[in-house]
Every structure is written in structure tokens, then in C-alpha cells.
Amino acid sequence: MKWVDIVLLALIAGVFVYALIKRVNPYEAFTEGAAEAVPTILRVLPSLGAMLAAISLFRHSGAMDALSGLLAPVLNRIGIPTELVTLTVLRPFSGSASLALLRDTLTTYGADSFVGRAASTLVGSSETIFYTLAVYCGSVGIRKARYAFPVSIICGLFGCIMSILLVKLI
């Protein structure tokens, strides 16, 4: 048994012991919490569906490749290898697609290569910005994100650049 399994088992047991001490029925508390989550899910679902459709359209229309081609010279100039341009562009849109691209990158270049280490660090230090904004803003009913979008893009780009530059230093 791994230590992670032991910690998870201890956490679950701890919750049940705490519930018994406080004289709370854990099953009822769980089902009440799940019932409270349903309205939130219904508020988030349209935003999430629209975002997933937009990502699919963006990737399959060729716009992703065109944007990667436009950004390649700029990103190369600041030290981001050509092999990571698509990953840098894709990461803010889709976590699963960027993980698949990371797997392909690690298979092609190896985990110990600069490109492999930089790709791994890039994925680990960046966020799926559009997914996060859709879920968070949709869950509380925000229709105009105002500054959240540009600030998220700037921070995401900064995180990508810094992750690759730090791999170069190490």
C-alpha cells in the first residue's frame, strides 16, 4: 500500500470519526451537499459547453496552427523552442489536449531532454485559463469578466516564459 493510499484512507476515516464526535450523519450531510451543488452545476453548464465547443472549433478549423505559426518567431526570440509553441498556445484552452501534447513531446524528445523538461514545467506551471474562467465566473453568475481575462492571459504567458527560462538555468 502506498503512502498516498494510507493518507487518503486516514482522511476518510478522520471525517467519519469527526462526524461521529459531532453527532452528524455523514451520509445525510453528503447528500445535502450534493443537492446544493446541482444549481451551481446548472449555472456552469452553459458556459462550460460554449467554451468546449469554442476550443473544438478553434483546434479543428486550423486557427490553432495559424496562431502557433504567427507566434513562433516571437516565442523563439524570447527563448521558447519551436517544439513548445503549440503547447504554449494550447495550454490556456484545454488541459486534456495539452496533456496529450505533453505525452507526445516526451515520447518524441525524451523526458530528460531540454524540450521534455521545459514542456513538463510549462504544463505544471500554467493553468487552463479559459476553462477556469468559464467555471468560476459561470458558477457565481458573472457575465462580464472585465479584467480577469487580460490579467489571466498576461499571468499565463509570464508563467510559461518563466518556467522555460528556469529550466534553462537549471
Side-chain angles (χ1 to χ4, degrees):
M1 197 173 216
K2 296 179 186 177
W3 68 271
V4 175
D5 298 333
I6 295 169
V7 169
L8 185 60
L9 184 60
L11 181 65
I12 292 169
V15 167
F16 279 107
V17 169
Y18 182 76
L20 290 174
I21 291 170
K22 292 292 187 175
R23 299 189 192 278
V24 173
N25 183 341
Y27 180 75
E28 284 181 22
F30 176 77
T31 54
E32 286 175 17
E36 291 174 10
V38 171
T40 302
I41 292 170
L42 292 176
R43 278 195 313 269
V44 170
L45 202 55
S47 301
L48 200 54
M51 189 264 322
L52 291 173
I55 289 170
S56 180
L57 181 65
F58 186 69
R59 288 185 62 215
H60 296 314
S61 70
M64 174 66 76
D65 295 333
L67 183 60
S68 295
L70 286 172
L71 292 177
V74 175
L75 294 175
N76 283 333
R77 187 162 292 176
I78 59 177
I80 297 176
T82 306
E83 299 86 3
L84 299 180
V85 171
T86 304
L87 183 60
T88 304
V89 172
L90 186 61
R91 181 64 180 155
F93 293 97
S94 174
S96 58
S98 62
L99 286 176
L101 190 56
L102 172 64
R103 185 190 67 229
D104 292 344
T105 302
L106 294 177
T107 301
T108 303
Y109 297 99
D112 292 331
S113 68
F114 170 73
V115 172
R117 289 190 327 264
S120 299
T121 307
L122 188 146
V123 168
S125 64
S126 58
E127 180 59 68
T128 51
I129 295 167
F130 296 102
Y131 174 81
T132 305
L133 284 175
V135 170
Y136 289 164
C137 292
S139 67
V140 293
I142 296 174
R143 297 284 179 232
K144 295 180 182 178
R146 198 169 178 183
Y147 298 117
F149 176 75
V151 169
S152 298
I153 294 295
I154 291 167
C155 291
L157 184 59
F158 182 75
C160 290
I161 292 168
M162 290 308 296
S163 67
I164 293 171
L165 292 178
L166 288 173
V167 169
K168 279 186 177 183
L169 291 174
I170 297 175

